[in-house]
Amino acid sequence: MAMTKIIFFLSTLLFLTTSQAGELSLNDAKIQLKVPYTMGTHTLKASQLSGSLQWSESRQQLLSGELILAVQDIAADDETLRCHLLESLTLDYTKSDFPKKHVCEGDKLPLEGKNAPVYSNIKVRLAGPFTLTDNAVLVEWEIHGVKKEQTLPLEIKLSEDKKTFTLKANFKLKRSDFGIVVKKFLFIDADDKLPIEVEITGDTQ
């Protein structure tokens, strides 16, 4: 369920229409992810992203960046999927009753106690420099308290007026790299390598 991820830093295209070097906010970007679950593919969405990017106009390069996605903000098209997502990504398994049993009820986790969220955010840090002509970017994930580097393929498109962008990435995230446990559902076990489709849209200004 490490969908997250997402996912997420990939709003890097915000730099493309800036006229000078500086810090760019990612707060208005939106992310959509498609992930496998049981016998189908489901859509996750989030709009409460935060973070910033450092862009050099003279070099036409993104120098660095960080995107932060609050797991609690991720909306799913299936309530059970969202519960499993919250359990897998935010709980401290050494203290929680999960994964021995499910602890999410009514699409929510307890606010206090051993079954309350501990790892609230998914973070993605961009290791630049990165330019528009690059087709891959090195990122550092921080998921479930674990940091891991991965090179991701990117597809980037700007609108004709260069006011908005769309970014897509298809990749696999290995949940065992982050110690993430996903309980079986109807005797169906999740693959260790989760195929994830990410689409991020946002304004460049």
Side-chain angles (χ1 to χ4, degrees):
M1 296 292 154
M3 34 294 302
T4 122
K5 1 156 77 60
I6 332 295
I7 334 208
F8 348 142
F9 72 93
L10 299 173
S11 303
T12 53
L13 269 294
L14 287 171
F15 68 80
L16 290 175
T17 58
T18 54
S19 59
Q20 57 186 4
E23 185 175 89
L24 302 170
S25 172
L26 303 179
N27 294 344
D28 294 329
K30 294 180 175 61
I31 183 169
Q32 176 173 294
L33 305 95
K34 292 185 178 180
V35 297
Y37 178 70
T38 62
M39 292 177 287
T41 299
H42 294 260
T43 300
L44 307 175
K45 296 182 179 181
S47 58
Q48 299 298 317
L49 304 181
S50 60
S52 62
L53 302 169
Q54 298 294 328
W55 165 246
S56 170
E57 177 65 20
S58 60
R59 299 178 189 176
Q60 287 290 291
Q61 290 179 332
L62 183 66
L63 305 178
S64 63
E66 181 180 56
L67 184 147
I68 302 171
L69 172 62
V71 179
Q72 292 278 3
D73 181 56
I74 299 175
D77 57 8
D78 181 280
E79 183 175 301
T80 302
L81 169 59
R82 174 172 156 77
C83 261
H84 290 185
L85 175 76
L86 294 176
E87 292 173 332
S88 296
L89 292 180
T90 70
L91 295 178
D92 182 348
Y93 306 155
T94 65
K95 299 177 181 179
S96 173
D97 291 322
F98 180 87
K100 292 182 180 180
K101 66 177 183 179
H102 288 295
V103 297
C104 179
E105 296 183 4
D107 202 23
K108 295 180 180 179
L109 291 173
L111 296 178
E112 298 179 348
K114 61 183 179 180
N115 294 319
V118 174
Y119 307 107
S120 300
N121 298 318
I122 294 173
K123 297 180 180 180
V124 186
R125 298 177 182 91
L126 175 70
F130 170 75
T131 66
L132 181 60
T133 56
D134 292 336
N135 56 13
V137 60
L138 178 66
V139 303
E140 180 190 67
W141 297 98
E142 184 174 341
I143 304 173
H144 203 245
V146 178
K147 296 180 180 180
K148 183 78 174 181
E149 288 188 344
Q150 183 178 6
T151 299
L152 302 182
L154 301 179
E155 176 187 343
I156 300 166
K157 292 184 179 180
L158 287 175
S159 61
E160 291 186 5
D161 58 9
K162 296 187 178 181
K163 291 183 178 180
T164 61
F165 70 87
T166 300
L167 188 151
K168 296 181 180 180
N170 295 337
F171 59 95
K172 291 186 177 181
L173 197 66
K174 191 174 181 181
R175 59 186 177 89
S176 60
D177 284 344
F178 304 95
I180 293 172
V181 175
V182 179
K183 286 180 68 64
K184 291 183 179 180
F185 182 77
L186 298 177
F187 304 102
I188 300 173
D189 201 1
D191 291 337
D192 185 33
K193 292 185 177 180
L194 296 173
I196 300 174
E197 297 180 27
V198 178
E199 180 174 316
I200 296 179
T201 58
D203 298 328
T204 58
Q205 298 178 356

